Amino acid sequence: MSFSVRQARRSLCTAVSSKLRLLSPLSINITTAVAAPCSLLSTTRTYSAAKPKTAKKHAADDTPPTLSYQARKDLAKQKRRDAYARKLARLDALKTRRDDKPDRGILKRTFMDWYSKEIEYHSILERKARQEGKPWKIRVAALVERLPVVTPDMEEWEREFVDLQEYLMTFGKVYPPETGLMPEEREEDHVVMSDEEMLTLLPFTPAPRETEADATGDLKTRDRRLKTFLYLAVRTKNEGMLSDSPRWTLPSAIANVQADEKDGDEALETLLQTARRAVSTSIGNDLTLWCPSNAPVAINYRVYNKNLPEEFRGNYYGEKIFYYRVQWDSGDVDETSLDKNGVDDYAWLTKEEMLERVEGERGGHQAKFFKYLL
């Protein structure tokens, strides 16, 4: 059989099935009566009549059908607003554990917003320095911290939890009398001593949590604010400024990252060694420091002002300041070496005290950097 004959038979089968569909709008069964070569219609097919379309219901059953399209639209929008307002009112009435706490993740989002802008600004400074063909000077700042000496005061909820634990340890569980599990009660079993009463039983007198330096406001001693961290700050002009007045900052020094013509590679030092030298050249060699890491905790950029002295800025575009966290171990500040090192004053400051001085002297941008640094 030629190809044209087969094609003609398929066309005939298709035409017959199309005529049968048009005979009735109801469900009909189509069974082929065509010859065997028409295999496309050798099965039984069922076709159903289309269901009549019904009118679309309005968004709300109580909407009058006589209103215009715009009026019905405005009415539906107002109903959605009222439903959303009821939902918010119901959520506000619910008691949750985070009623008095900030939104979840708000502190992280605030930091990331600031951090992403800082990274973008630093990349812009890097590009400008490359365009001018000027290198960066490396400065290392030492963040000397004194760890807390005593535990901080408990929050109210912590105090309540401890009181509950002490109550349960004193009175124990209560069982019904018929079980016979309750031991005989004795007065000495239910004695709850206060903190003051327990302190009187100690064989020694505990040191006060508030020291004399806290009362007098002495900032040059580490024997103050025992419940929190303290940071060593110096007041100096060694960082190069336009004004003649010194400002509060951290001990810092320029790193020797290039070989010296006289000493060669022996003059090179690591950034951690520079951090140690920054402390010794600022407040003397009496302090013993412990360095927990060889890596810096932060980096900041400083662009040199063109009005700075030429001998200070040289051919550099600015400074990259690497901050190293080191901890005080022993020793004290050598006050006799402050003048010859160009340091006017020093203090052991808390985070809040440090931020107050930085914001007053350098503005809110640097204060926010120190807020996340400390």
Side-chain angles (χ1 to χ4, degrees), residues 7 79 83 148 180 301 313 332:
Q7 188 176 9
K79 288 183 178 180
Y301 284 59
R313 56 188 176 90
D332 204 347

PDB file of all heavy atoms in Angstrom, residues 7 79 83 148 180 301 313 332:
ATOM      1  N   GLN A   7      -2.503   7.743   4.019  1.00  0.00           N
ATOM      2  CA  GLN A   7      -2.820   9.108   4.461  1.00  0.00           C
ATOM      3  C   GLN A   7      -4.284   9.431   4.172  1.00  0.00           C
ATOM      4  O   GLN A   7      -4.955  10.089   4.976  1.00  0.00           O
ATOM      5  CB  GLN A   7      -1.897  10.087   3.750  1.00  0.00           C
ATOM      6  CG  GLN A   7      -2.009  11.503   4.291  1.00  0.00           C
ATOM      7  CD  GLN A   7      -0.996  12.420   3.629  1.00  0.00           C
ATOM      8  OE1 GLN A   7      -0.341  12.024   2.671  1.00  0.00           O
ATOM      9  NE2 GLN A   7      -0.889  13.628   4.153  1.00  0.00           N
ATOM     10  N   LYS A  79     -13.309  46.273  53.366  1.00  0.00           N
ATOM     11  CA  LYS A  79     -13.518  45.069  54.184  1.00  0.00           C
ATOM     12  C   LYS A  79     -12.188  44.359  54.440  1.00  0.00           C
ATOM     13  O   LYS A  79     -11.962  43.830  55.528  1.00  0.00           O
ATOM     14  CB  LYS A  79     -14.498  44.137  53.489  1.00  0.00           C
ATOM     15  CG  LYS A  79     -15.938  44.660  53.504  1.00  0.00           C
ATOM     16  CD  LYS A  79     -16.888  43.668  52.857  1.00  0.00           C
ATOM     17  CE  LYS A  79     -18.324  44.175  52.922  1.00  0.00           C
ATOM     18  NZ  LYS A  79     -19.281  43.228  52.308  1.00  0.00           N
ATOM     19  N   ALA A  83     -10.481  43.656  58.101  1.00  0.00           N
ATOM     20  CA  ALA A  83     -10.048  42.327  58.534  1.00  0.00           C
ATOM     21  C   ALA A  83      -8.586  42.343  58.967  1.00  0.00           C
ATOM     22  O   ALA A  83      -8.210  41.715  59.974  1.00  0.00           O
ATOM     23  CB  ALA A  83     -10.249  41.313  57.410  1.00  0.00           C
ATOM     24  N   PRO A 148      37.161  41.355  83.772  1.00  0.00           N
ATOM     25  CA  PRO A 148      36.396  41.575  85.003  1.00  0.00           C
ATOM     26  C   PRO A 148      36.970  40.776  86.171  1.00  0.00           C
ATOM     27  O   PRO A 148      37.401  39.634  86.012  1.00  0.00           O
ATOM     28  CB  PRO A 148      34.985  41.106  84.635  1.00  0.00           C
ATOM     29  CG  PRO A 148      34.923  41.213  83.152  1.00  0.00           C
ATOM     30  CD  PRO A 148      36.298  40.915  82.660  1.00  0.00           C
ATOM     31  N   GLY A 180       2.510   8.407 102.969  1.00  0.00           N
ATOM     32  CA  GLY A 180       3.525   8.092 103.964  1.00  0.00           C
ATOM     33  C   GLY A 180       4.943   8.379 103.519  1.00  0.00           C
ATOM     34  O   GLY A 180       5.901   7.875 104.111  1.00  0.00           O
ATOM     35  N   TYR A 301      40.637  52.452  58.113  1.00  0.00           N
ATOM     36  CA  TYR A 301      41.395  53.253  57.159  1.00  0.00           C
ATOM     37  C   TYR A 301      41.389  54.718  57.602  1.00  0.00           C
ATOM     38  O   TYR A 301      40.383  55.219  58.130  1.00  0.00           O
ATOM     39  CB  TYR A 301      40.786  53.154  55.759  1.00  0.00           C
ATOM     40  CG  TYR A 301      41.064  51.866  55.038  1.00  0.00           C
ATOM     41  CD1 TYR A 301      40.662  50.639  55.565  1.00  0.00           C
ATOM     42  CD2 TYR A 301      41.717  51.851  53.822  1.00  0.00           C
ATOM     43  CE1 TYR A 301      40.901  49.455  54.904  1.00  0.00           C
ATOM     44  CE2 TYR A 301      41.981  50.668  53.138  1.00  0.00           C
ATOM     45  CZ  TYR A 301      41.560  49.480  53.691  1.00  0.00           C
ATOM     46  OH  TYR A 301      41.804  48.304  53.038  1.00  0.00           O
ATOM     47  N   ARG A 313      53.280  62.806  56.574  1.00  0.00           N
ATOM     48  CA  ARG A 313      52.532  61.987  55.619  1.00  0.00           C
ATOM     49  C   ARG A 313      53.391  61.442  54.489  1.00  0.00           C
ATOM     50  O   ARG A 313      53.097  60.393  53.927  1.00  0.00           O
ATOM     51  CB  ARG A 313      51.363  62.779  55.043  1.00  0.00           C
ATOM     52  CG  ARG A 313      51.705  64.090  54.387  1.00  0.00           C
ATOM     53  CD  ARG A 313      50.446  64.865  54.038  1.00  0.00           C
ATOM     54  NE  ARG A 313      50.747  66.172  53.484  1.00  0.00           N
ATOM     55  CZ  ARG A 313      50.919  66.416  52.192  1.00  0.00           C
ATOM     56  NH1 ARG A 313      50.825  65.425  51.325  1.00  0.00           N
ATOM     57  NH2 ARG A 313      51.186  67.636  51.771  1.00  0.00           N
ATOM     58  N   ASP A 332      52.301  47.581  85.831  1.00  0.00           N
ATOM     59  CA  ASP A 332      51.537  48.820  85.865  1.00  0.00           C
ATOM     60  C   ASP A 332      52.173  49.821  84.908  1.00  0.00           C
ATOM     61  O   ASP A 332      53.259  49.588  84.361  1.00  0.00           O
ATOM     62  CB  ASP A 332      51.500  49.387  87.292  1.00  0.00           C
ATOM     63  CG  ASP A 332      50.300  50.283  87.510  1.00  0.00           C
ATOM     64  OD1 ASP A 332      49.659  50.647  86.497  1.00  0.00           O
ATOM     65  OD2 ASP A 332      50.002  50.627  88.660  1.00  0.00           O
TER      66      ASP A 332
END
